[in-house]
Amino acid sequence: MAVLHNRISGEELKRRLHEEAEPRTTISFYQYFSIQNPQEFRDYLYKRLYNLKVFGRIYVAGEGINAQVSVPQCNFEAFKAFLYSISELNNLRLNIAVDDDGKSFWVLSVKVREKIVADGITDPGFSMENKGRYVNAEQMNELLKKDDAIIIDMRNHYEYEVGHFEKAIEIPSDTFREQLPMAVNMMKGNEEKNIIMYCTGGIRCEKASAYMLHNGFKNVFHLEGGIINYAKQVKEINLASKFIGKNFVFDNRLGERITEDVIARCHQCGKPCDTHTNCANNGCHLLFIQCEACRQKYDGCCSAACKETIHLPLERQKQIRKGIDKGRNVFNKRKVRLRPRLNE
């Protein structure tokens, strides 16, 4: 029987990844479509992708699939052929990473979820069949020129912090499920205006566009393939990028550089910086922005207290963090957890 989950330690898998000679390509994709038996579909995906040496994080639900994966270049065509052999995924757009060292993932994880993106929507009348109109990079740039266009960033605050489109409005929230009703409330009175929504790879803004239409907005657009596809298109057709800074990504890279602009600041000293990292204290693992000088000063930690902790004997460290689910903090950057910024 084929292996349906990984049984090798993370440290060993990371070591093997860094010893690989074959280059890898980081790809993201999603598709909203009906899956009658998500668990069966999940197992089918795992078996086929495992054999192709694909790493990454894939979510399967009754409403579709959401994936961020790393594929050996020698298996890329076989990977694409397999995906396209699934009728609902035939000719699916694949977002190729623009700033990729091939070390984004080191294990394959395919999980069944209630939804491929948690939205908090309970209205039975809501449907993904009625969604906003796609816009490509060229159309996005044209819409950005219009004074009456409203640009909405459907990502979390820590993503917006390091990079966003010119004139984009941030929906100040910690989760997508909080953002949806907030976006509707913030846009009241603009039901007839052009509203353009965007996110990292397209999955959140596509659902958000459908939610806005469901709530009475008339002219809703969303960026096809999100920032990842936009960055690829502006390079291909030599357009000026209206997205400024870095695109946060949910893999080991923690970001793709889109333009050379650095619009964020180190959370410890306030100097210009847009490098996200996780606190080196395994009992904390806070996601935060840290410059190189502060990384050296605090040994990769978010605070003097965490720095002190990592220099304690290992047994004492284990005792301190006993019972703490550190995995919940890897991408946990709720505002209540953030250190105060300078001048705040």
Side-chain angles (χ1 to χ4, degrees):
M1 182 176 177
V3 175
L4 294 185
H5 62 87
N6 173 66
R7 294 187 175 94
I8 304 171
S9 73
E11 290 305 314
E12 174 63 15
L13 290 168
K14 289 180 187 179
R15 185 189 64 77
R16 292 183 186 183
L17 173 65
H18 286 281
E19 289 179 355
E20 279 189 355
E22 174 70 25
R24 285 180 168 268
T25 301
T26 301
I27 302 163
S28 62
F29 62 90
Y30 73 92
Q31 183 75 301
Y32 288 102
F33 68 102
S34 178
I35 299 177
Q36 296 303 313
N37 190 328
Q39 184 63 48
E40 184 178 288
F41 185 66
R42 177 265 173 203
D43 290 347
Y44 174 63
L45 283 177
Y46 192 97
K47 292 174 187 177
R48 295 295 299 270
L49 298 180
Y50 183 87
N51 289 335
L52 291 172
K53 296 181 172 58
V54 173
F55 299 154
R57 183 188 305 113
I58 303 175
Y59 297 136
V60 174
E63 67 173 358
I65 183 173
N66 180 23
Q68 298 85 40
V69 297
S70 167
V71 183
Q73 288 183 8
C74 64
N75 289 341
F76 178 79
E77 291 303 322
F79 166 78
K80 187 163 71 169
F82 163 63
L83 284 184
Y84 289 0
S85 72
I86 301 168
S87 59
E88 294 87 353
L89 303 182
N90 189 27
N91 293 319
L92 175 73
R93 179 191 63 255
L94 301 177
N95 283 338
I96 309 296
V98 295
D99 185 12
D100 186 17
D101 62 2
K103 309 299 182 186
S104 51
F105 298 101
W106 55 85
V107 67
L108 176 62
S109 172
V110 186
K111 295 183 179 180
V112 174
R113 292 285 178 87
E114 182 180 350
K115 294 187 178 183
I116 55 175
V117 56
D119 53 35
I121 299 172
T122 57
D123 186 344
F126 173 77
S127 172
M128 281 301 300
E129 292 183 9
N130 183 29
K131 58 190 178 184
R133 286 167 280 178
Y134 280 134
V135 292
N136 59 27
E138 192 169 9
Q139 293 166 328
M140 182 73 169
N141 281 11
E142 286 302 312
L143 284 168
L144 285 167
K145 294 177 183 178
K146 300 181 182 296
D147 292 334
D148 63 343
I150 300 174
I151 318 300
I152 300 179
D153 191 314
M154 290 306 299
R155 301 172 304 153
N156 298 326
H157 65 92
Y158 56 87
E159 300 170 83
Y160 181 91
E161 185 178 10
V162 293
H164 51 257
F165 276 97
E166 297 173 358
K167 302 194 300 182
I169 296 172
E170 178 188 8
I171 308 297
S173 66
D174 290 315
T175 66
F176 182 65
R177 67 172 63 236
E178 293 172 352
Q179 278 187 317
L180 290 173
M182 287 177 69
V184 169
N185 290 333
M186 287 174 66
M187 291 300 109
K188 280 182 178 177
N190 296 299
E191 285 79 3
E192 304 295 329
K193 290 187 177 180
N194 289 331
I195 295 178
I196 307 100
M197 316 188 90
Y198 73 91
C199 60
T200 305
I203 187 170
R204 285 176 283 180
C205 56
E206 185 161 327
K207 181 167 280 190
S209 73
Y211 190 75
M212 296 296 281
L213 290 169
H214 182 68
N215 281 275
F217 292 83
K218 309 298 182 185
N219 304 305
V220 184
F221 305 84
H222 59 105
L223 183 60
E224 184 175 12
I227 300 160
I228 297 172
N229 193 45
Y230 175 87
K232 176 175 175 287
Q233 288 182 336
V234 295
K235 285 186 176 181
E236 289 176 346
I237 59 179
N238 198 28
L239 279 177
S241 177
K242 299 300 181 182
F243 182 92
I244 305 301
K246 183 183 279 189
N247 179 30
F248 184 94
V249 291
F250 290 86
D251 59 49
N252 199 48
R253 296 170 298 152
L254 297 181
E256 295 181 328
R257 170 107 5 236
I258 307 300
T259 71
E260 295 305 312
D261 305 87
V262 177
I263 65 174
R265 293 183 177 275
C266 174
H267 290 174
Q268 290 171 312
C269 72
K271 292 179 181 177
C273 176
D274 57 10
T275 301
H276 275 103
T277 189
N278 287 112
C279 179
N281 175 14
N282 286 329
C284 174
H285 243 199
L286 175 72
L287 178 71
F288 69 111
I289 296 175
Q290 185 178 53
C291 69
E292 178 60 24
C294 287
R295 186 189 70 80
Q296 293 185 25
K297 179 180 178 181
Y298 292 98
D299 291 345
C301 292
C302 68
S303 65
C306 281
K307 177 182 177 180
E308 182 179 338
T309 298
I310 67 170
H311 292 293
L312 293 172
L314 288 178
E315 287 305 314
R316 176 57 181 152
Q317 290 186 49
K318 290 178 182 179
Q319 186 180 17
I320 291 172
R321 65 174 183 264
K322 188 175 182 180
I324 296 175
D325 180 7
K326 66 179 181 181
R328 293 176 59 85
N329 294 338
V330 173
F331 290 116
N332 184 346
K333 196 158 178 272
R334 284 183 172 271
K335 291 183 178 180
V336 296
R337 294 194 77 230
L338 295 184
R339 309 294 175 194
R341 305 290 203 281
L342 261 63
N343 303 319
E344 287 188 5

